[in-house]
Amino acid sequence: MTTAKQLKVTLYRSLNGRLKAHQQCARGLGIRKIHNSITVIDTPENRGMINKISYMLKVEEA
C-alpha cells in the first residue's frame, strides 16, 4: 500500500487586494488565515492551485 505524498502549505502574504481567482485558489486549498499551515495531498489539481498563488505561499514536503 502506497501513501500519497503530502505538502505542508503556509500562507504568508495577505489575500486582501488580490485577484478573485487567486483568492478562490487559496480557499480551494483550505487556507483561511495568514501564517496558518494546512496539509494537502500532492495531486495535479492542488499543485496547479499552489503554482498559481506561489508568490503568497511557503510550501514544504510533509
Side-chain angles (χ1 to χ4, degrees):
M1 183 174 156
T2 61
T3 57
K5 276 191 357 182
Q6 297 199 334
L7 299 172
K8 180 181 174 186
V9 182
T10 306
L11 183 69
Y12 73 96
R13 297 186 79 183
S14 175
L15 292 172
N16 291 342
R18 305 295 177 190
L19 294 172
K20 280 283 186 199
H22 291 197
Q23 292 177 6
Q24 291 170 349
C25 281
R27 184 156 314 262
L29 287 168
I31 299 171
R32 304 220 188 286
K33 295 182 178 179
I34 296 177
H35 301 299
N36 280 7
S37 298
I38 58 153
T39 305
V40 295
I41 298 172
D42 189 8
T43 62
E45 295 83 6
N46 287 339
R47 193 56 92 152
M49 288 191 282
I50 289 169
N51 286 341
K52 191 168 192 176
I53 60 172
S54 62
Y55 66 96
M56 293 190 289
L57 301 175
K58 188 168 100 177
V59 182
E60 306 164 356
E61 288 192 21

